[in-house]
Amino acid sequence: MKIIAANFKMNLTKKEIDNYLKEIDNKKINNVIFFPSNLYIPYFSKYNIGSQDISFKEIGSITGDTSIKQYLDFNIKYVLIGHSERRKYFNDSKYISDKVNLALKNNIIPIICVGETEEEYNNNLTKKVLKDELDEALENNITLLNNEIIIAYEPIFSIGTNKVLDIKEIENIITYIKSYLKNTYLLDIKVLYGGSVNLNNIGNLEKISNLDGYLIGNASLDAKSFLDLTSKIK
Ligand code: PGA
């Protein structure tokens, strides 16, 4: 069964979360991991939960940040690291290696987000960008790489835009990521696809043979249609 990561980003308030929880109650969604905003993580304690980020430090004076140790109090099992929005607004590319290190040391599964910009894609730089981002996340953490890691491939220009690459292209890129990680780090790793996954394109995306799951933003925000979407994922 594929992994489905539901990334709420900064959306949904308490009332909407309450309705959401009513809607998903008792539904078969064992393969879904929810990534609500920090404040709402405790409400999802019945489900698989992850955090959308962690601080690059384990503890200390960093106003506004949340430590992995604090997330552990709420039983998170996964963390998104290096989402393109974090890279863009918070200069996160600088901290990827430290964050992956903290996640692995604390037995949390990092979902490392990688992906190229439209300009890089047009200039045929996709593989180079992915290789650099993977190395940046992994090369200083070699000794911890026996723990589970997941990669999310998200072309940045596909996030929230409805511009999805041809499925053959996505399949080739996933093949590249998997073989690069196998050859360089001896890792067999699950790869998710993210970027405008929705009810209209899921039938087509499901034809990708080497995909292990999806990272879903917008289309995870409405519980009813999200459940519909999850029912179409095998
Ligand atoms: P989207 O977001 O599904 O709204 O494109 C995906 C993501 O940013 O992880």
Side-chain angles (χ1 to χ4, degrees):
M1 224 181 190
K2 293 200 184 78
I3 297 169
I4 304 172
N7 178 12
F8 291 178
K9 310 191 179 184
M10 207 170 65
N11 297 295
L12 305 182
T13 53
K14 176 70 170 57
K15 211 167 157 190
E16 291 162 326
I17 292 281
D18 287 343
N19 290 331
Y20 199 102
L21 290 166
K22 270 189 213 139
E23 202 64 56
I24 62 173
D25 198 29
N26 289 321
K27 299 291 188 313
K28 275 205 187 118
I29 45 172
N30 297 342
N31 58 331
V32 175
I33 310 159
F34 290 101
F35 294 83
S37 298
N38 283 353
L39 291 171
Y40 304 112
I41 282 178
Y43 299 114
F44 284 80
S45 57
K46 263 172 56 179
Y47 301 94
N48 301 311
I49 28 177
S51 65
Q52 297 176 16
D53 185 43
I54 46 169
S55 176
F56 66 102
K57 294 268 192 221
E58 201 159 42
I59 195 140
S61 303
I62 305 184
T63 302
D65 237 358
T66 306
S67 155
I68 190 157
K69 292 286 185 202
Q70 296 167 322
Y71 283 115
L72 281 171
D73 286 338
F74 295 90
N75 288 321
I76 67 155
K77 298 279 184 293
Y78 301 84
V79 55
L80 296 180
I81 293 182
H83 189 281
S84 63
E85 286 148 16
R86 302 281 327 167
R87 292 183 192 258
K88 176 174 166 194
Y89 297 117
F90 299 95
N91 208 6
D92 239 27
S93 295
K94 257 170 75 181
Y95 305 113
I96 305 297
S97 180
D98 292 339
K99 291 185 179 189
V100 170
N101 186 276
L102 283 176
L104 293 174
K105 267 192 351 208
N106 286 283
N107 292 315
I108 297 295
I109 300 172
I111 301 183
I112 303 166
C113 303
V114 296
E116 77 281 42
T117 62
E118 189 153 32
E119 197 186 338
E120 287 161 345
Y121 171 80
N122 288 333
N123 287 311
N124 247 327
L125 291 171
T126 300
K127 287 184 180 167
K128 186 190 173 328
V129 170
L130 296 178
K131 177 193 172 302
D132 289 349
E133 287 185 339
L134 293 169
D135 287 339
E136 187 178 54
L138 302 178
E139 68 192 355
N140 292 328
N141 292 310
I142 300 269
T143 55
L144 294 167
L145 294 184
N146 46 347
N147 293 14
E148 191 176 348
I149 292 171
I150 296 172
I151 302 296
Y153 169 57
E154 301 200 293
I156 295 170
F157 52 98
S158 294
I159 297 177
T161 58
N162 255 325
K163 270 195 203 171
V164 177
L165 291 175
D166 183 82
I167 56 167
K168 269 284 153 222
E169 257 183 296
I170 298 175
E171 192 167 86
N172 287 341
I173 295 168
I174 290 169
T175 301
Y176 170 73
I177 294 173
K178 288 189 173 181
S179 62
Y180 181 70
L181 293 174
K182 180 83 188 162
N183 295 335
T184 314
Y185 296 98
L186 306 176
L187 292 174
D188 286 308
I189 268 186
K190 292 198 172 87
V191 179
L192 315 184
Y193 167 77
S196 295
V197 177
N198 60 40
L199 275 167
N200 296 327
N201 56 31
I202 195 65
N204 205 25
L205 289 168
E206 277 288 281
K207 294 180 193 148
I208 301 175
S209 64
N210 54 1
L211 197 55
D212 301 298
Y214 301 95
L215 178 51
I216 303 175
N218 273 318
S220 69
L221 296 177
D222 178 85
K224 264 201 186 109
S225 63
F226 178 58
L227 288 171
D228 201 6
L229 182 60
T230 60
S231 73
K232 296 186 164 37
I233 297 172
K234 297 289 171 276

